């Protein structure tokens, strides 16, 4: 049987104390509800109905790349009322999987198990046992059969001792769901239409109701405040780190690692503490990443080393490269084999040739550097005139003296030398020495300024 999904995402999330709708708060740089949508997409759902309310424009902007049916819940009158907004789009002959938008760690395997449980019953719900179920709806059973769900505020003292709770996730037939939704009433402590009431309705009709369980309670933990958001983030990251460790990536401290995208790697790669991975990062063999580095959409070749506190973004490193510490490779940076950038060096749209070095305090923008060149400390390429960007070309074996400024567009020839402290605005031919600085004058009797 085909199935559709209803995702409840209309809550404002007042306890988040934010102008951002709750379900847009990120886990690993991705909105929590997007995690759920991505998981559902792996199951092959026919439709995804997103129930939204607060911050509709923000939601539509953030989730516009998804194929969703948007269902507005203008007033938040409970979970049953939320699902009622999707009822006109639900087919009688399909199953409907109902999910909450603030439990981003739910696994596809768990949802598939819930779907399979529905095949053996009329209705299946996801439940979990908690040591402290305070505030959660309790599962009322008659032996093996689920008979009802009682919200905490409506539960008796005896019912509050029950540790099996409702996760808010369930699946049932479309025709049954629509019939039960139309019969919901709001005569409860909250004055709301509870989706959980359909369980009691199903039981009274003699429907078979089975429960399925996640492999871990963290899968179904909802997020209602910043503390819970941080806890779920760490749980997500720890699981990522542990999985990568088992796949052979050496992460020195799994508690201090953040994967906010995808990473692939060869053998004997090592990642130190507080490293953040964003986008798609590819590591070759024997790559070492030092502490406090950020890697974004980049490729790092074999035997390369990224020293501490460096940022590598949309850059490509060939084999045996060395970066940092405190280096920044911006988009378009390319380092060929055994090239090196050292501390406080920044590269943007720049290619550093094989074996070339820029060891200290240098900016290379819109620059092509040949093989075996040496860029002295304090060198900058002046690539921007206030309106246009221009290119600097530095030939093979060139030596650029410390504290030089190369004013683009300019070409420094092969084996050419630029004297330290020069400002070069004209081309330098192969093997030439360029010295562009004023003659030194020593003035005697000069009066140093005094504080007024």
């Amino acid at each position: 049987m085909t199935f559709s999904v209803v995702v409840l995402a209309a809550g404002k999330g007042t306890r988040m104390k934010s102008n951002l709708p709750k379900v847009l708060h990120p886990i690993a740089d991705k909105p929590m509800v997007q995690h759920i949508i991505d998981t559902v997409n792996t199951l092959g759902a026919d439709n995804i109905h997103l129930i939204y309310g607060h911050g509709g424009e923000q939601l539509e902007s953030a989730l516009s790349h998804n194929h969703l049916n948007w269902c507005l819940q203008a007033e938040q009158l409970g979970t049953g009322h939320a699902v009622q907004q999707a009822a006109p789009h639900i087919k009688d002959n399909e199953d409907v999987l109902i999910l909450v938008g603030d439990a981003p760690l739910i696994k596809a395997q768990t949802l598939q198990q819930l779907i399979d449980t529905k095949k053996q019953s009329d209705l299946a719900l996801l439940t979990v046992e908690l040591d402290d179920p305070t505030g959660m709806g309790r599962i009322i059973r008659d032996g093996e059969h689920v008979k009802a769900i009682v919200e905490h505020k409506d539960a008796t003292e005896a019912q509050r001792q029950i540790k099996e709770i409702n996760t808010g996730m369930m699946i049932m037939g479309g025709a049954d769901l629509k019939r039960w939704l139309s019969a919901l009433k709001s005569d409860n402590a909250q004055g709301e239409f509870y989706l959980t009431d359909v369980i009691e309705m199903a039981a009274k009709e003699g429907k078979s109701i089975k429960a399925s369980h996640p492999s871990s309670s963290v899968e179904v933990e909802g997020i209602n405040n910043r503390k819970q958001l941080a806890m779920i983030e760490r749980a997500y990251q720890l699981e990522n780190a542990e999985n990568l460790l088992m796949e052979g990536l050496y992460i020195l401290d799994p508690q201090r690692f953040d994967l906010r995208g995808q990473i692939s790697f060869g053998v004997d790669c090592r990642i130190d503490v507080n490293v953040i991975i964003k986008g798609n990062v590819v590591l070759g063999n024997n790559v070492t990443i030092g502490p406090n580095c950020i890697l974004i959409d980049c490729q790092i070749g074999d035997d390369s080393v990224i020293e501490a506190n460096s940022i590598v973004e949309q850059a490509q490193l060939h084999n045996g490269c060395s970066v940092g510490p405190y280096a920044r490779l911006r988009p378009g940076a390319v380092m060929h084999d055994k090239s090196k950038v050292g501390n406080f060096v920044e590269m943007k749209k720049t290619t550093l040739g094989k074996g070339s070095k820029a060891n200290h305090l240098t900016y290379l923008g819109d620059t092509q550097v040949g093989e075996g060149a040496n860029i002295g400390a304090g060198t900058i390429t002046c690539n921007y005139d206030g309106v246009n960007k221009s290119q600097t070309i530095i030939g093979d074996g060139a030596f650029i003296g410390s504290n030089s400024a190369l004013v683009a567009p300019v070409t420094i020839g092969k084996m050419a030398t630029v004297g330290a402290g020069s400002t070069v605005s004209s081309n330098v031919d192969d093997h030439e020495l360029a010295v562009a600085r004023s003659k030194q004058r020593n003035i005697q009797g000069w009066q140093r300024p005094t504080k007024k």
Side-chain angles (χ1 to χ4, degrees):
M1 180 178 284
T2 61
F3 79 100
S4 292
V5 177
V6 175
V7 180
L8 307 184
K12 183 178 181 180
T14 304
R15 284 175 283 174
M16 300 297 288
K17 300 187 186 302
S18 171
N19 291 325
L20 191 68
K22 181 172 73 168
V23 297
L24 289 186
H25 283 267
I27 296 295
D29 277 356
K30 183 165 69 174
M32 65 174 82
V33 71
Q34 185 66 60
H35 283 270
I36 295 164
I37 293 168
D38 290 346
T39 299
V40 166
N41 282 330
T42 68
L43 299 175
D46 294 280
N47 294 290
I48 302 176
H49 308 291
L50 186 79
I51 312 301
Y52 73 103
H54 295 286
E57 290 184 4
Q58 291 172 282
L59 280 162
E60 290 180 358
S61 175
L63 305 176
S64 60
H65 59 287
N66 297 283
H67 183 66
L68 302 171
N69 178 39
W70 293 82
C71 303
L72 175 63
Q73 186 186 17
E75 293 182 89
Q76 276 66 61
L77 301 177
T79 52
H81 178 256
V83 180
Q84 285 174 350
Q85 312 314 304
H89 310 285
I90 292 172
K91 300 174 183 177
D92 289 347
N93 62 346
E94 68 176 351
D95 283 339
V96 182
L97 175 64
I98 300 171
L99 303 177
V100 292
D102 62 355
L105 301 193
I106 188 69
K107 296 184 184 305
Q109 178 182 348
T110 296
L111 294 181
Q112 186 60 59
Q113 182 178 306
L114 181 62
I115 293 168
D116 292 342
T117 301
K118 164 62 177 67
K119 294 176 182 177
Q120 307 163 20
S121 59
D122 296 306
L123 187 154
L125 51 146
L126 196 65
T127 70
V128 67
E129 288 199 6
L130 299 179
D131 291 335
D132 181 10
T134 302
M136 309 301 293
R138 305 308 204 277
I139 301 298
I140 309 301
R141 288 178 173 271
D142 180 7
E144 293 296 316
H145 302 285
V146 176
K147 292 299 182 183
I149 301 174
V150 178
E151 296 297 327
H152 180 88
K153 291 183 179 181
D154 299 310
T156 66
E157 195 58 40
Q159 290 171 333
R160 290 182 180 183
Q161 303 308 308
I162 297 171
K163 296 187 179 297
E164 185 181 12
I165 62 99
N166 173 42
T167 67
M169 305 184 206
M170 59 187 75
I171 183 170
M172 65 201 79
D176 287 337
L177 174 60
K178 288 192 288 184
R179 185 176 70 258
W180 295 327
L181 287 174
S182 65
L184 288 178
K185 296 180 180 180
S186 59
D187 50 352
N188 51 62
Q190 291 290 91
E192 295 182 349
F193 296 92
Y194 291 153
L195 178 63
T196 50
D197 288 348
V198 306
I199 305 301
E200 187 173 0
M201 294 179 188
K204 287 180 178 179
E205 290 184 11
K207 300 288 188 180
S208 60
I209 304 170
K210 290 191 175 182
S212 180
H213 315 288
S215 58
S216 169
S217 63
V218 73
E219 281 189 61
V220 296
E221 284 190 27
I223 297 172
N224 293 301
N225 55 50
R226 302 279 189 170
K227 180 180 178 181
Q228 291 172 337
L229 181 70
M231 290 172 61
I232 293 299
E233 176 77 36
R234 291 326 315 156
Y236 177 83
Q237 294 298 350
L238 181 58
E239 183 178 16
N240 283 331
E242 290 175 344
N243 289 339
L244 291 170
L245 283 164
M246 296 307 295
E247 292 171 12
L249 179 63
Y250 182 31
I251 300 171
L252 269 69
D253 187 350
Q255 297 281 1
R256 291 184 286 172
F257 170 78
D258 276 63
L259 179 62
R260 304 177 187 176
Q262 297 178 322
I263 184 171
S264 58
F265 49 91
V267 297
D268 294 325
C269 291
R270 179 181 188 273
I271 293 183
D272 213 321
V273 301
N274 299 328
V275 170
I276 298 174
I277 304 295
K278 295 186 175 185
N280 186 26
V281 172
V282 179
L283 307 181
N285 299 312
N286 197 36
V287 173
T288 298
I289 310 297
N292 309 315
C293 291
I294 302 175
L295 307 183
I296 308 169
D297 287 318
C298 57
Q299 297 84 45
I300 314 295
D302 296 350
D303 304 307
S304 293
V305 177
I306 312 297
E307 300 283 5
N309 303 294
S310 296
I311 300 174
V312 181
E313 179 178 5
Q314 295 179 30
Q316 181 178 7
L317 280 63
H318 291 229
N319 297 333
C321 294
S322 177
V323 175
Y326 294 98
R328 183 183 182 193
L329 302 185
R330 292 168 57 192
V334 177
M335 297 178 63
H336 286 283
D337 292 353
K338 298 184 178 179
S339 58
K340 180 179 180 180
V341 296
N343 48 290
F344 303 104
V345 173
E346 179 179 354
M347 285 174 50
K348 187 271 298 182
K349 289 186 179 178
T350 290
T351 297
L352 197 60
K354 182 178 180 180
S356 290
K357 300 177 181 179
N359 280 327
H360 330 273
L361 304 161
T362 292
Y363 172 67
L364 299 174
D366 299 286
T367 302
Q368 300 295 316
V369 181
E371 296 183 3
N374 187 87
I375 313 298
T379 295
I380 63 170
T381 55
C382 309
N383 59 324
Y384 184 52
D385 62 7
V387 179
N388 301 302
K389 300 285 181 72
S390 298
Q391 192 172 63
T392 298
I393 299 175
I394 300 173
D396 296 345
F399 182 94
I400 310 300
S402 298
N403 201 35
S404 294
L406 309 181
V407 184
V410 69
T411 298
I412 311 299
K414 295 179 179 180
M415 302 301 294
T417 300
V418 173
S422 295
T423 298
V424 178
S425 55
S426 299
N427 293 345
V428 181
D429 289 338
D430 297 351
H431 302 280
E432 284 189 340
L433 166 65
V435 180
R437 57 189 183 224
S438 61
K439 184 177 180 180
Q440 179 175 328
R441 293 187 301 150
N442 296 341
I443 302 173
Q444 294 185 354
W446 177 71
Q447 182 62 50
R448 186 182 276 186
T450 58
K451 188 173 182 180
K452 295 181 180 180

